[in-house]
Amino acid sequence: MSQEHSGERDGQAPGSVDARSSRPAAIDVDGLELTYGDGTEAVQGVDMTVPEGEFFGFLGPNGAGKTTTIKVFATLLSPTAGSVTVNGFDVTADPRKIRESIGYMAQETNIDPELTASENIRFACEAYGVPRGTRADRVDELLDLVDLVDVASKRAEEFSGGMKKRLDAATALVHQPPLVFLDEPTTGLDPKARNRLWEYFQRINEEGTTIFLTTQYLEEADQLCDRLAVILGGEIVADGSPADLKRQVGGEVLDVDLEDGDDARQRAASIAEGFDAFSDATVNVTDEGISVTAETARQHGTDLLVALRDAGLTVTGFNIRAPTLDDVFLAITGEELAERAPDQGVEQ
Ligand code: ATP
């Protein structure tokens, strides 16, 4: 963080301080709206505050408005209405200062295929004004971090999708910005590469970097994020820590696997919905059968299994467990978050 930068932030108005943490806000949003030229109302009245140092997760189904929101924060789109402050600077009045004080890893990789891995990172160092004397060390450090030391002198056009993603992460972080936007940074990466990036994100967060993450992987959000917000149709519909959100689901989840296809799953769901002992239950049809979330799932789970069997349905397995973020997402949005498969066979 530059001196100028921290100085400006020290002078922030009290209203931009997150009340819960008393830390200054890295991002402060009031009534943000963004309507595209074709009339699409992508973001409609978003309010949020992300305090400095937080690892914040922004979740939502495809088309919910996540990338649009991030692009406003990164000053690539101007708000239609509302006020947005990033690192203490207004997105409309001070876009240049914001760009200097953030890192942005977009969904599409932003590297030059004709340059080598080292050259791409060195180029980003120049673009972001990393002091000349420290550039070589920074290039080596980042190559090591994203596991590209062995291919440092190869052109990026020869890289797999996962390698390009890792190189892109390195270029977004060269200037050690106090706030980093990561738009699905690990999509398509295999578990090893994903873990390696997680470790780095956690490390820079522990050292004080604020992180604003969108992800397709709810497990990733659960492991990394202090707090989450869920956006649906351009509006924030839930927010809290992963534990808070899981508690809000209420009770436990009974997963029942069934033989016999869709018809059997629908019948089982109707039986579970009408089951007296589960008056507070949420029932969802899953790929394998049904899942029932209820305060009394543990006490009355076996009664439901008997009722299903008496109705002629074949139960092939069952499990009672605590809610996960997938259950939270399902309860809030009514749909599972589709995960994009990793690039099979392209990782190294
Ligand atoms: P994804 O996970 O698929 O990236 P998202 O939550 O990031 O989705 P956005 O990309 O912000 O969603 O899109 C929000 C809405 O705005 C969608 O209806 C999308 O079709 C629309 N949209 C996005 N970009 C444009 C554009 N340039 N012009 C018009 N509409 C757009």
Side-chain angles (χ1 to χ4, degrees):
M1 191 192 312
S2 72
Q3 285 305 311
E4 177 202 21
H5 186 224
S6 61
E8 294 235 19
R9 274 198 281 179
D10 289 341
Q12 275 185 337
S16 61
V17 173
D18 184 281
R20 280 166 296 194
S21 68
S22 78
R23 280 174 290 167
I27 305 170
D28 199 14
V29 183
D30 187 14
L32 172 64
E33 293 176 19
L34 191 128
T35 304
Y36 283 105
D38 66 357
T40 305
E41 295 177 348
V43 179
Q44 306 178 50
V46 161
D47 300 315
M48 67 162 80
T49 304
V50 178
E52 280 181 10
E54 190 160 71
F55 206 131
F56 185 87
F58 200 40
L59 306 176
N62 289 341
K66 302 178 298 293
T67 299
T68 304
T69 305
I70 287 195
K71 284 186 172 166
V72 172
F73 296 166
T75 75
L76 301 175
L77 288 172
S78 295
T80 310
S83 74
V84 179
T85 310
V86 174
N87 286 334
F89 305 116
D90 184 272
V91 287
T92 310
D94 272 325
R96 194 181 54 81
K97 286 191 172 152
I98 292 178
R99 282 182 214 164
E100 285 168 3
S101 66
I102 62 167
Y104 175 39
M105 187 176 167
Q107 264 180 37
E108 324 76 51
T109 48
N110 187 26
I111 52 177
D112 187 334
E114 304 213 342
L115 298 183
T116 66
S118 298
E119 287 165 348
N120 265 289
I121 300 175
R122 204 171 311 127
F123 181 75
C125 286
E126 284 166 29
Y128 282 114
V130 173
R132 196 175 291 271
T134 64
R135 281 182 201 163
D137 284 347
R138 191 80 188 118
V139 171
D140 288 345
E141 187 192 350
L142 284 164
L143 282 170
D144 181 45
L145 169 85
V146 295
D147 219 359
L148 293 175
V149 174
D150 294 346
V151 289
S153 310
K154 277 199 176 161
R155 284 185 184 205
E157 65 192 357
E158 294 177 47
F159 289 0
S160 69
M163 292 161 81
K164 285 181 184 152
K165 202 88 176 145
R166 276 143 54 199
L167 179 57
D168 194 41
T171 61
L173 301 165
V174 286
H175 53 311
Q176 295 170 295
L179 169 63
V180 177
F181 295 101
L182 304 170
D183 196 353
E184 298 191 14
T186 60
T187 295
L189 298 192
D190 68 17
K192 182 168 160 259
R194 200 181 295 168
N195 271 321
R196 189 141 183 155
L197 277 179
W198 286 3
E199 280 168 21
Y200 183 63
F201 297 151
Q202 276 172 317
R203 198 176 87 210
I204 61 174
N205 177 247
E206 276 157 22
E207 288 166 0
T209 306
T210 310
I211 299 192
F212 190 99
L213 167 86
T214 77
T215 179
Q216 294 277 322
Y217 305 113
L218 293 173
E219 186 207 342
E220 176 166 298
D222 200 0
Q223 290 213 7
L224 296 177
C225 296
D226 302 318
R227 199 157 61 90
L228 303 168
V230 180
I231 185 168
L232 188 63
E235 294 178 64
I236 293 191
V237 292
D239 90 279
S241 68
D244 287 342
L245 291 172
K246 287 182 216 167
R247 260 194 301 277
Q248 283 169 27
V249 169
E252 290 179 292
V253 183
L254 168 66
D255 293 314
V256 182
D257 297 346
L258 294 162
E259 214 170 71
D260 305 329
D262 195 42
D263 184 48
R265 293 199 292 267
Q266 296 297 344
R267 279 180 52 221
S270 307
I271 292 168
E273 274 159 7
F275 200 61
D276 283 347
F278 287 162
S279 56
D280 62 340
T282 307
V283 180
N284 290 293
V285 174
T286 63
D287 288 346
E288 294 78 26
I290 58 169
S291 84
V292 182
T293 307
E295 291 292 349
T296 52
R298 189 166 292 275
Q299 294 96 307
H300 296 295
T302 46
D303 301 336
L304 176 66
L305 299 177
V306 170
L308 295 175
R309 194 194 59 197
D310 289 350
L313 295 164
T314 308
V315 174
T316 55
F318 67 94
N319 180 37
I320 296 178
R321 60 179 174 79
T324 63
L325 274 188
D326 291 275
D327 301 304
V328 172
F329 201 82
L330 192 60
I332 293 171
T333 68
E335 54 185 294
E336 291 182 58
L337 186 58
E339 292 187 0
R340 291 172 196 155
D343 301 350
Q344 295 295 335
V346 294
E347 266 304 327
Q348 289 199 352

